[in-house]
Amino acid sequence: SGFKDGEEFDRHCEVVGQGKWCLIRPPKDYKTPLQWPAGRDVIWSGNVKITKDQFLSSGSMTKRMMLLEENQIAFQSDAGLTFDGVKDYSRQIAEMMGLGSDSEFLQAGVRTVLDIGCGFGSFGAHLVSIKLMALCIAGYEATGSQVQLALERGLPAMIGNFITRQLPYPSFSFDMVHCAQCGIPWDKKEGMLLIEVDRLLKPGGYFVLTSPKSKPHGSATGTKIRNMLTPLEQFPEKICWSLIAQQDETFIWQKTADAQCYSSRKQNDVPLCKGHDASYYQALSPCIIGPSSKRWIPIQNRSSSSELSSAELALHGKYCSNLFLSSCTCTF
């Protein structure tokens, strides 16, 4: 359709009258997904764009994570994005944050997670099982969709990417943004991709980046990873992030909850935005939203329960408290 520079992987909707029509027709023989929680681990193969031949020709990791049986696909609950499995990976992140286990995410103020790159939905499924609200985004794929796999499993997911435009979420929407081998070139566009992460993160929130396993020293892959991480070591300080932990190929940065950090930065650092948030699907912004926003509520100031504080209630309303935070009882 003439799209380029990453826009071909983003959402595109048919314009009907004054509005956009974004619904997509289901496959011809689409079946209603199984009810949760059974549907989390077993889906109808005809509902997604993956054929038996594609499955058989895929790599060993895919076969370890998925079992193809006649008209169903079953997911291995402990398989995941790292060689040690999703549960071990989630526990590793928690321990790097200074927690005893991932069951303490809520106590650390982490309730909402934006997962970039759904894969087979295993990480999101695990987060939901420990009562976190995990939303996955991934770019459009003509030959098969990570987003569709996640949706069939009953997990919140939508098409979107970090390449061209701001994502359609208000500022300060997530407590954690997670990227494991998600393919985003974070070192490009003069840091504006990281600025978009900063816009989405609540004060005190976390950015978790796991890069691919590096090859032996001196290899092209290892050099590429080191070149990518070098600017990430410098740029986060300009937007008041601090690197709190690094283990193997996993890095965790934390966004400041200290409003004074922005006024103490160097003069040539990333400027603060003027005015209110722009509407959805705007171009990536070269400025960061500071503590002057009414949505500036550090995640560490919240209780570990599912109840919103009085400040959050005033901002989001009681309806949000009942619907959005009770992820363990939501039907997706």
Side-chain angles (χ1 to χ4, degrees):
S1 301
F3 295 110
K4 58 182 182 179
D5 297 330
E7 288 192 356
E8 64 270 26
F9 303 112
D10 213 332
R11 297 160 58 90
H12 297 285
C13 308
E14 179 184 358
V15 178
V16 179
Q18 298 297 317
K20 290 186 175 181
W21 185 256
C22 297
L23 294 179
I24 299 175
R25 294 192 181 110
K28 181 179 178 181
D29 299 319
Y30 187 85
K31 293 184 179 181
T32 302
L34 301 175
Q35 289 192 352
W36 186 277
R40 179 189 60 194
D41 299 320
V42 179
I43 66 174
W44 302 112
S45 57
N47 288 2
V48 296
K49 293 181 179 180
I50 182 169
T51 65
K52 186 175 182 179
D53 290 340
Q54 288 174 324
F55 176 81
L56 293 175
S57 62
S58 60
S60 58
M61 176 62 78
T62 301
K63 294 184 179 68
R64 287 208 303 272
M65 297 177 67
M66 299 165 59
L67 298 175
L68 192 63
E69 300 175 350
E70 294 187 8
N71 59 351
Q72 290 183 333
I73 296 175
F75 296 86
Q76 305 283 9
S77 59
D78 197 31
L81 33 135
T82 66
F83 296 104
D84 297 325
V86 148
K87 292 181 181 178
D88 288 341
Y89 176 70
S90 180
R91 184 172 62 250
Q92 175 191 350
I93 292 175
E95 291 173 351
M96 291 174 66
M97 291 168 54
L99 307 176
S101 70
D102 56 4
S103 63
E104 298 179 10
F105 275 140
L106 285 171
Q107 295 173 240
V110 177
R111 297 171 179 167
T112 56
V113 179
L114 180 66
D115 186 23
I116 309 170
C118 308
F120 299 107
S122 298
F123 188 57
H126 175 68
L127 293 179
V128 169
S129 73
I130 58 174
K131 301 183 180 180
L132 272 63
M133 173 62 78
L135 171 64
C136 177
I137 63 166
Y140 171 76
E141 300 166 293
T143 57
S145 176
Q146 300 176 63
V147 168
Q148 189 64 29
L149 279 171
L151 289 173
E152 289 299 317
R153 299 185 68 179
L155 303 168
M158 63 172 284
I159 292 173
N161 68 42
F162 263 83
I163 304 300
T164 58
R165 292 176 287 180
Q166 292 183 354
L167 293 173
Y169 317 120
S171 299
F172 310 136
S173 289
F174 298 96
D175 308 320
M176 178 184 287
V177 175
H178 171 260
C179 161
Q181 305 179 28
C182 64
I184 304 297
W186 298 110
D187 57 325
K188 304 299 183 183
K189 297 203 172 186
E190 300 180 339
M192 285 199 292
L193 304 180
L194 290 172
I195 290 175
E196 174 64 357
V197 176
D198 182 82
R199 184 185 73 83
L200 297 172
L201 277 178
K202 289 185 175 73
Y206 302 90
F207 176 50
V208 181
L209 172 65
T210 297
S211 64
K213 294 291 182 180
S214 59
K215 298 290 180 65
H217 182 72
S219 70
T221 302
T223 301
K224 182 178 180 181
I225 292 171
R226 287 192 296 276
N227 290 341
M228 182 188 76
L229 291 177
T230 298
L232 293 189
E233 295 172 358
Q234 303 168 355
F235 189 83
E237 293 183 5
K238 298 181 179 181
I239 55 177
C240 286
W241 288 10
S242 57
L243 180 65
I244 62 170
Q246 187 261 318
Q247 183 177 330
D248 299 326
E249 301 298 336
T250 298
F251 299 76
I252 301 180
W253 286 270
Q254 186 173 23
K255 178 178 177 176
T256 187
D258 180 9
Q260 299 300 319
C261 175
Y262 295 95
S263 59
S264 63
R265 295 176 306 144
K266 297 179 181 178
Q267 189 173 7
N268 61 346
D269 284 343
V270 182
L272 296 177
C273 298
K274 297 180 180 180
H276 55 78
D277 289 357
S279 57
Y280 296 157
Y281 293 118
Q282 295 298 305
L284 292 171
S285 174
C287 62
I288 54 177
I289 299 176
S292 60
S293 170
K294 65 179 181 179
R295 296 175 62 87
W296 181 274
I297 302 176
I299 64 174
Q300 290 79 10
N301 290 0
R302 303 181 307 196
S303 68
S304 59
S305 70
S306 60
E307 297 296 324
L308 291 176
S309 67
S310 57
E312 289 175 304
L313 279 172
L315 180 61
H316 302 294
K318 294 182 178 180
Y319 178 78
C320 172
S321 173
N322 294 331
L323 177 64
F324 187 62
L325 292 179
S326 299
S327 58
C328 54
T329 58
C330 284
T331 300
F332 305 120

